[in-house]
Amino acid sequence: MKHYLTLLDAFEDQARLASHGITYITADTVEEYQSYRQLKEESLLVLRELQAAGMVAGDELLMQVEDNRSFLNIFWGCLLGGIIPVPVTVGNNEEHRMKLFKIWNTLNHPYLITDPKTFSNLEKYAVQHELSEDYQKIAKKTLFIDALDYKNLTPGIPAKVQAED
């Protein structure tokens, strides 16, 4: 059995193997396969988008992402860039929306990635609960999943991650 110093070392090792990957089941009869190599390539493209938005190693990214493939691409993009992924339940009710505001306010350098519909519901919640000032801070640092550009093949720049990170 191989021993890895970091989770990224294990990921890199698996990405070299073309025959290993993930099968996403998106409906009763719909399956989509993504090799670990493809996952790494797409994650590096996501990392470029995160870096273009101003994110650097040590920043936190709140992730409100329902689609499993997008979730994993973003999650690994964060890890490759030394960005801290913070998965949060998609805000489908008031408790989830309040939790997002509370988490945001406890982080040091947060950003948010979500879809436009979820973000719109967050805005409505903020107005109803007098959180407009917090909402404006979040809005300035929000990325939308559907705006991620997988066609621009310039990858992001991975961080030099150490075992103690």
Side-chain angles (χ1 to χ4, degrees):
M1 176 179 275
K2 289 186 179 183
H3 294 279
Y4 302 102
L5 291 177
T6 70
L7 185 58
L8 284 178
D9 291 338
F11 181 64
E12 293 283 348
D13 192 44
Q14 290 301 306
R16 286 189 272 281
L17 304 171
S19 62
H20 292 80
I22 302 166
T23 300
Y24 302 98
I25 301 170
T26 56
D28 288 339
T29 59
V30 179
E31 293 183 6
E32 180 182 1
Y33 178 78
Q34 180 185 34
S35 71
Y36 288 125
R37 182 176 296 151
Q38 289 171 313
L39 175 59
K40 181 182 176 192
E41 290 168 358
E42 291 178 17
S43 296
L44 285 168
L45 297 177
V46 168
L47 176 57
R48 183 204 61 248
E49 299 281 331
L50 300 178
Q51 290 169 335
M55 296 191 74
V56 298
D59 286 348
E60 304 106 346
L61 180 62
L62 284 113
M63 300 171 51
Q64 285 196 311
V65 181
E66 288 186 290
D67 175 69
N68 290 330
R69 184 172 185 151
S70 294
F71 179 90
L72 286 178
N73 287 339
I74 296 164
F75 179 85
W76 283 104
C78 285
L79 293 183
L80 287 164
I83 297 164
I84 303 163
V86 184
V88 180
T89 303
V90 173
N92 292 325
N93 63 44
E94 289 206 0
E95 181 182 341
H96 294 154
R97 292 181 190 109
M98 177 51 78
K99 183 188 285 187
L100 182 126
F101 281 98
K102 286 181 179 181
I103 293 170
W104 179 275
N105 287 318
T106 64
L107 299 175
N108 297 312
H109 302 284
Y111 286 76
L112 170 67
I113 189 162
T114 191
D115 61 78
K117 179 182 174 197
T118 300
F119 192 68
S120 175
N121 289 333
L122 187 64
E123 180 181 22
K124 291 173 191 168
Y125 177 83
V127 169
Q128 293 170 350
H129 293 85
E130 299 180 8
L131 295 167
S132 294
E133 186 176 319
D134 286 340
Y135 171 80
Q136 291 305 319
K137 291 177 190 174
I138 295 171
K140 290 177 185 174
K141 295 174 83 177
T142 296
L143 294 90
F144 292 105
I145 297 163
D146 57 354
L148 294 176
D149 184 4
Y150 290 99
K151 293 183 177 97
N152 180 344
L153 299 179
T154 305
I157 301 166
K160 293 182 182 359
V161 178
Q162 304 300 315
E164 55 277 352
D165 292 341

